Amino acid sequence: MTTENIFAAIRKWKNLIDSYQNGIDANGAEILNYLNQGTHFSVSGEEIEQWKINLASEELKTIHAYVGIHENRLKFFLIDSRSDKDANFNTILTKEFSREFTEEKMESNDLEVTPPPITAESAINRSFRWNMFGTAWMQAQKTADLFQLISIPFSDYAKMGIEGGQTCTSFFGLTDDLVKKGSDFSYHIEIITVKSLAVNHMSETAENYSTPRPPFTIDTLNDYQLLKQSNSVFV
């Protein structure tokens, strides 16, 4: 996809969520339909290695997973935070929102690793929350900041320990970590990344520190040039 096509896809998502928050309730169902078109996207060891190079001089290393709509399909546009801040859009990776899994992703791997940040039970539960309570989450976004991208710590991918053409899997969940106090709905959307989907192996690799943007916290819109330029926002 060209940069202009990516801009247009991100704008289409922005226009859809804006229309929902401006009173077109039917578009809430359309947003949910897009968010449930697939189950996951994949990232390869080669892509992670390139991010490592791009982020080598950065203290805060993150991957920005933008959401867009292209030809009526939800797409993810991944870019490292350094490239995004520098508007180096040649590094963007376009990811399909897929429902297909390879057999090896379902197989167990009994290698011993360091203790994970979340258990398999927690990862599965958060994914289950998304499937069960996505509609309630959508209703709560009527008066909240509906995300245009999700910021994922680079360490979530670096810790996968994959190389070359090996891949890890990223999927939606709902978590109450870092939730705003006083919020009407106690969960926010996140991206969980695992190396394997086998239940007895998932907890060895699950990473879960992603956060939706907006709202912005210690960062600013200038750190998200793809968002800024796709929507022609100048601050």
Side-chain angles (χ1 to χ4, degrees):
M1 291 179 65
T2 66
T3 301
E4 285 303 320
N5 285 338
I6 293 172
F7 283 176
I10 293 172
R11 281 196 300 270
K12 190 167 185 179
W13 173 257
K14 179 67 163 57
N15 291 338
L16 181 62
I17 63 177
D18 283 351
S19 65
Y20 172 62
Q21 294 183 318
N22 287 332
I24 304 179
D25 292 343
N27 284 355
E30 186 175 354
I31 292 168
L32 272 181
N33 285 339
Y34 277 116
L35 294 175
N36 286 292
Q37 275 186 341
T39 56
H40 68 283
F41 62 85
S42 298
V43 174
S44 72
E46 293 172 344
E47 292 165 341
I48 294 170
E49 183 60 29
Q50 185 59 56
W51 286 337
K52 182 179 179 180
I53 295 170
N54 296 349
L55 293 167
S57 62
E58 294 298 292
E59 182 176 351
L60 182 62
K61 307 175 193 290
T62 58
I63 304 302
H64 299 163
Y66 287 84
V67 177
I69 301 169
H70 179 68
E71 296 181 346
N72 295 318
R73 299 296 301 176
L74 192 77
K75 304 280 188 181
F76 292 90
F77 304 107
L78 274 56
I79 184 171
D80 65 90
S81 53
R82 178 73 263 174
S83 296
D84 200 359
K85 189 172 184 177
D86 291 344
N88 182 12
F89 301 143
N90 291 328
T91 64
I92 295 173
L93 300 174
T94 300
K95 296 293 182 179
E96 302 292 332
F97 198 27
S98 177
R99 287 186 175 273
E100 297 181 2
F101 294 97
T102 58
E103 287 187 12
E104 56 265 28
K105 283 296 174 189
M106 304 303 296
E107 295 174 354
S108 177
N109 183 329
D110 294 323
L111 294 176
E112 292 185 6
V113 296
T114 55
I118 58 173
T119 64
E121 181 180 5
S122 179
I124 293 169
N125 186 41
R126 292 178 181 191
S127 178
F128 176 77
R129 283 181 196 153
W130 169 247
N131 287 288
M132 291 298 294
F133 303 118
T135 299
W137 170 84
M138 189 72 256
Q139 292 171 347
Q141 305 313 299
K142 190 75 174 175
T143 56
D145 291 308
L146 219 165
F147 80 101
Q148 296 178 66
L149 68 132
I150 293 180
S151 179
I152 308 168
F154 173 65
S155 60
D156 280 18
Y157 289 112
K159 290 177 181 177
M160 292 295 104
I162 61 175
E163 299 177 346
Q166 293 178 316
T167 61
C168 55
T169 302
S170 295
F171 54 88
F172 284 134
L174 285 178
T175 179
D176 56 0
D177 287 352
L178 306 177
V179 72
K180 290 182 180 179
K181 292 183 178 180
S183 173
D184 292 333
F185 189 74
S186 59
Y187 299 102
H188 71 71
I189 198 166
E190 64 176 342
I191 287 179
I192 298 171
T193 299
V194 299
K195 184 176 180 180
S196 168
L197 292 169
V199 173
N200 63 342
H201 185 228
M202 188 181 293
S203 65
E204 297 174 355
T205 61
E207 299 290 342
N208 71 313
Y209 297 113
S210 62
T211 50
R213 296 285 188 268
F216 300 100
T217 52
I218 60 172
D219 45 13
T220 70
L221 186 56
N222 286 324
D223 293 319
Y224 300 87
Q225 287 296 316
L226 182 54
L227 181 65
K228 184 177 178 180
Q229 294 190 34
S230 66
N231 290 298
S232 299
V233 175
F234 298 94
V235 295

